[in-house]
Amino acid sequence: MRLPFAAGSGYMAYQMDASLTEGPIGKKLIVFALPLLMGNVLQSLNGTINAIWVGNYLGESAFAATSNANNIMFFLLSLVFGIGMASTILIGQSIGAQDETQAKRVVGTSALFFLLLSLVITVIGLIFSPMILKGMNTPHDAMDYAISYLRIIFIGLPFMYGYNFIMMIMRGAGDAKTPFYFLLISTFLDIVLNPLFIFGLGPVPALGISGSAVATVVAQFVSLACLVVFLYRKQYFLRITREDLPYVRFDREIIASLVKKGVPMGLQMLIVSTSAIAVINLVNSYGSVATAAFGAAMQLSSYVQMPAMAIGGAVSTLAAQNVGAGKWDRVHKTTIMGILINFFMTGVLVGIIYLFNREALGLFLQDDAAIEIGMRINLITLWAFILFGITFVVSGVVRATGAVMVPLITTFLALWCIRIPISYWLSAEYGLDAIWWSFPIGFTVGIILSVWYYVWGNWRQAKMIGSKQAQPAK
């Protein structure tokens, strides 16, 4: 989104812009993906710095606790990912079709949904945190740490949901830059506040691992508040004004689309998150050293996944706007460019980590045994994230039309029918190596199924809502 400005009431107003449907695709894709990539880097850097504080100063048990709690948080964010992604696609198609009223209908309905869901999950989480962690087979020496950390995170969940909702809405409209600027605020605050709340200073008490969670919640709240104020002061075209209050309701047509398309996308993320929980549950049975090593390796792999996630998000928005505009030639060119860019960027990151494997793991781990396990994990799994990136890009384009069931089935087959059975059935004989090898095997199955559906499937005929979506030429 070029973010052109127009004068009005003494302010500068953000206007609707469908520029992603025109111009060179490669350049558009890179420019749109860069803020997403930098945002992913910031979030992972923030998590990495927090992990360094916890792992080096609070011990392996505390680090294992945060690893378990963070998997639960990924699960919780997955609960609303589908509705948020469906909203993003609907808004992208509406912008491509130059239908601002439709876009505001989506914003009003999905905002109400996000608010109610976040409050319900917060209450449930505060009550059942110990049961959830016990069900994950969290190591006994990490349990108390994990409970205190997770409960505080649950309190901040509405702020996390709120920020992620606004971020996805703006990206659907073609604006990836503005959310990044406010992510800078959140990351800076989290990094600064973590040691303050962990160790205490002056009137601020030392809260230990709970302080890390408090810092995250405070940072999310401040960033969300600043973003909301900014959008209203700048008269962002998708903000809800007094005249737009009729849109803040459970619009039957919008709800039907969000549920029909959003639930499968949410289930897809739930499959990913529950499979991660199943893997860490298995790793937990090998003790805190293995859990800490796995947590450190996953910290590094989160950086490797960043190009795929950024390019995947970018291709989904570009594809959605071009589907709305009926420009199917640009949809297919977006897929090819996305795969090529992701292949190069992910490959470079994998090579860098392989060169500095021990040194990178040493940022999180002090125990030599844990570092050795972490090096083994990286050796077996990192290269396979290149395959993951291709699948992520192809699935992003397919979902942009509203075709959501096959990507869901593909993810289920690759993870719960391949990766998890391999991990559990073979680990008894081959130990931890069976768990690590399940990653590239699962990714390989995923890419084969995804590419097959893209080439021969009927995803081009899918619709998000009504009959407004342009169809490809016969």
Side-chain angles (χ1 to χ4, degrees), residues 169-364:
I169 291 300
M170 297 184 75
R171 288 176 180 172
D175 180 6
K177 294 180 181 178
T178 303
F180 170 72
Y181 297 145
F182 289 90
L183 183 59
L184 280 172
I185 297 175
S186 175
T187 303
F188 174 77
L189 286 175
D190 204 349
I191 291 174
V192 171
L193 294 177
N194 247 274
L196 175 63
F197 287 125
I198 289 175
F199 305 111
L201 180 66
V204 179
L207 300 176
I209 193 173
S210 297
S212 181
V214 170
T216 298
V217 170
V218 171
Q220 290 279 343
F221 170 75
V222 172
S223 181
L224 173 61
C226 290
L227 177 57
V228 171
V229 170
F230 173 84
L231 293 180
Y232 277 86
R233 286 184 63 85
K234 293 297 183 180
Q235 298 185 355
Y236 190 74
F237 77 97
L238 286 179
R239 75 195 188 285
I240 299 297
T241 64
R242 182 176 300 177
E243 291 75 18
D244 299 322
L245 288 179
Y247 296 130
V248 185
R249 62 186 180 88
F250 286 116
D251 184 300
R252 184 172 300 178
E253 186 179 34
I254 299 296
I255 284 292
S257 179
L258 293 180
V259 171
K260 183 178 179 181
K261 305 299 183 180
V263 168
M265 286 189 282
L267 288 175
Q268 185 174 356
M269 288 300 293
L270 284 176
I271 288 171
V272 173
S273 60
T274 53
S275 70
I277 291 173
V279 170
I280 200 170
N281 178 67
L282 180 58
V283 174
N284 282 339
S285 66
Y286 286 85
S288 292
V289 173
T291 300
F294 183 66
M298 291 303 100
Q299 283 280 340
L300 295 176
S301 70
S302 69
Y303 286 98
V304 173
Q305 296 176 65
M306 285 179 198
M309 297 175 68
I311 300 300
V315 299
S316 187
T317 299
L318 263 73
Q321 286 202 11
N322 283 285
V323 167
K327 298 183 177 181
W328 286 89
D329 59 325
R330 291 179 61 85
V331 174
H332 299 302
K333 290 177 182 177
T334 296
T335 307
I336 300 301
M337 289 301 302
I339 291 174
L340 293 176
I341 294 171
N342 170 78
F343 189 87
F344 172 77
M345 295 175 69
T346 303
V348 169
L349 286 176
V350 168
I352 291 173
I353 294 179
Y354 276 144
L355 284 175
F356 303 98
N357 201 353
R358 178 177 291 274
E359 293 81 0
L361 290 165
L363 292 172
F364 314 100

Side-chain angles (χ1 to χ4, degrees), residues 282 417-430 434:
L282 180 58
C417 296
I418 302 295
R419 182 193 292 180
I420 301 304
I422 287 176
S423 297
Y424 276 80
W425 292 346
L426 299 183
S427 62
E429 182 175 353
Y430 297 101

Side-chain angles (χ1 to χ4, degrees), residues 358-373:
R358 178 177 291 274
E359 293 81 0
L361 290 165
L363 292 172
F364 314 100
L365 303 169
Q366 296 174 306
D367 186 282
D368 287 338
I371 291 176
E372 291 298 327
I373 294 174

Side-chain angles (χ1 to χ4, degrees), residues 449-462:
L449 295 176
S450 297
V451 172
W452 179 89
Y453 182 61
Y454 182 87
V455 175
W456 290 287
N458 64 348
W459 58 275
R460 300 162 188 80
Q461 281 71 49

Side-chain angles (χ1 to χ4, degrees), residues 401-416:
T401 65
V404 294
M405 291 307 301
V406 172
L408 170 64
I409 295 171
T410 295
T411 302
F412 177 77
L413 291 174
L415 297 182
W416 278 102

